[in-house]
């Protein structure tokens, strides 16, 4: 079982602020890093899947980077909006088929 | 509409009464998986399936069974539920299992709407 950690556990920001949070994972046997967005009362939805060291992905105001050598990924949100309020989950896949999720970062954006 | 369908959404049962949570996907996905979500513990994998008739244990398989007789269905079976199985359950699927020969986009998980199970 991998130890995938996300920080912070929760975050309150003001509308318009940019923010970022971290996912850390063991760098040995790394295969892939997933980010999901999970709104209350809905299902998690995929944001990004990254595999290569130095990968950067972007979707609108949300972007992510990956450092497989040191075992971390950052998720950035530029100009946060109230609709960005959600729990952001990362998941790390080892070589093979297991995908281990972190505990999530709960983001609340105040208007 | 492409989707993963779980049923029921909510279920209250008693200890020891066998139950099945169904999961069906209409996207011809090879990979399917079950997770449970508990406060402070994140999503933990129960079982997964690479394809028809191929299943394997995840992190927390005790007390659960699965089957994959058809590609589209992956039911979760609790033979004798206990109160510690009270949880929020998610089924998920992806087009392909992770494989270096395949595009990353094929590994994204699509989640069902969740089943809130309470075992009294």
């Amino acid at each position: 079982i991998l130890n995938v950690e996300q920080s912070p556990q929760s975050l309150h920001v003001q509308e318009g602020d940019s923010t970022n949070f971290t996912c850390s994972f063991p760098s040995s046997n790394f295969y892939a890093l997933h980010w999901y967005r999970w709104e209350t009362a809905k299902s998690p939805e995929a944001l990004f899947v990254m595999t290569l060291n130095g990968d950067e992905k972007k979707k609108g105001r949300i972007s992510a980077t990956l450092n497989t050598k040191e075992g971390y990924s950052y998720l950035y949100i530029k100009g946060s909006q109230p609709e960005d309020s959600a729990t952001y989950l990362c998941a790390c896949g080892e070589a093979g088929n297991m995908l281990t999720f972190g505990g999530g970062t709960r983001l609340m954006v105040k208007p | 509409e492409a989707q993963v369908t779980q049923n029921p959404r909510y279920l209250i049962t008693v200890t020891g009464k066998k139950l099945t949570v169904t999961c069906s996907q209409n996207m011809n996905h090879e990979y399917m998986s079950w997770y449970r979500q508990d406060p402070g513990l994140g999503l933990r994998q129960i079982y997964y399936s690479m394809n028809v008739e191929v299943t394997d244990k995840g992190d927390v398989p005790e007390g659960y069974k699965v089957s994959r007789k058809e590609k589209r269905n992956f039911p979760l079976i609790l033979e004798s539920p206990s109160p510690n199985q009270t949880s929020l359950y998610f089924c998920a699927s992806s087009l392909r299992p992770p494989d270096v020969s395949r595009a990353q986009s094929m590994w994204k998980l699509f989640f069902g709407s969740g089943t809130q199970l309470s075992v009294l």
Side-chain angles (χ1 to χ4, degrees):
Chain A
I1 300 174
L2 292 181
N3 186 23
V4 180
E5 294 185 349
Q6 290 186 247
S7 62
Q9 280 193 326
S10 64
L11 192 55
H12 293 250
V13 301
Q14 211 58 44
E15 182 176 355
D17 287 350
S18 293
T19 187
N20 67 84
F21 19 94
T22 307
C23 174
S24 61
F25 52 88
S27 52
S28 58
N29 289 328
F30 171 84
Y31 205 81
L33 193 288
H34 297 223
W35 280 101
Y36 292 85
R37 182 170 177 274
W38 188 8
E39 287 182 75
T40 303
K42 294 188 179 180
S43 309
E45 290 184 351
L47 289 171
F48 308 114
V49 177
M50 298 182 287
T51 55
L52 299 175
N53 185 45
D55 251 356
E56 290 188 29
K57 299 265 184 173
K58 189 174 181 183
K59 189 176 183 178
R61 293 178 292 99
I62 303 177
S63 60
T65 60
L66 178 65
N67 184 323
T68 60
K69 292 183 179 177
E70 295 180 40
Y72 65 84
S73 175
Y74 292 138
L75 189 80
Y76 300 91
I77 303 179
K78 187 177 177 183
S80 303
Q81 299 297 308
E83 58 265 30
D84 295 329
S85 296
T87 296
Y88 291 83
L89 297 168
C90 73
C92 183
E94 293 179 278
N97 306 297
M98 289 284 294
L99 196 64
T100 302
F101 280 82
T105 292
R106 189 175 174 213
L107 174 68
M108 284 152 282
V109 183
K110 299 176 196 172
Chain B
E1 182 189 350
Q3 59 185 359
V4 179
T5 304
Q6 270 180 253
N7 279 297
R9 286 293 302 271
Y10 303 94
L11 180 59
I12 300 174
T13 190
V14 294
T15 299
K17 188 175 181 183
K18 180 179 178 180
L19 67 91
T20 300
V21 185
T22 63
C23 175
S24 179
Q25 49 88 10
N26 61 0
M27 296 172 279
N28 201 35
H29 282 179
E30 286 186 5
Y31 183 89
M32 297 186 75
S33 183
W34 276 103
Y35 297 87
R36 59 178 287 174
Q37 200 275 326
D38 301 291
L41 292 177
L43 283 169
R44 292 182 293 167
Q45 192 171 42
I46 303 170
Y47 269 95
Y48 63 93
S49 170
M50 297 276 284
N51 214 323
V52 176
E53 302 290 4
V54 181
T55 63
D56 213 340
K57 295 177 181 178
D59 292 332
V60 287
E62 295 77 22
Y64 303 96
K65 284 174 60 178
V66 293
S67 68
R68 188 93 182 272
K69 295 176 184 174
E70 308 163 281
K71 200 171 189 178
R72 63 184 292 130
N73 295 323
F74 190 45
L76 180 70
I77 303 155
L78 284 72
E79 294 273 1
S80 183
S82 61
N84 65 12
Q85 292 178 299
T86 293
S87 187
L88 177 60
Y89 291 86
F90 283 102
C91 178
S93 70
S94 68
L95 184 60
R96 297 283 188 270
D99 184 320
V100 288
S101 66
R102 290 163 168 165
Q104 296 168 5
S105 58
M106 294 183 174
W107 309 348
K108 286 183 183 177
L109 289 173
F110 291 80
F111 283 84
S113 51
T115 296
Q116 180 64 57
L117 171 65
S118 295
V119 183
L120 305 177

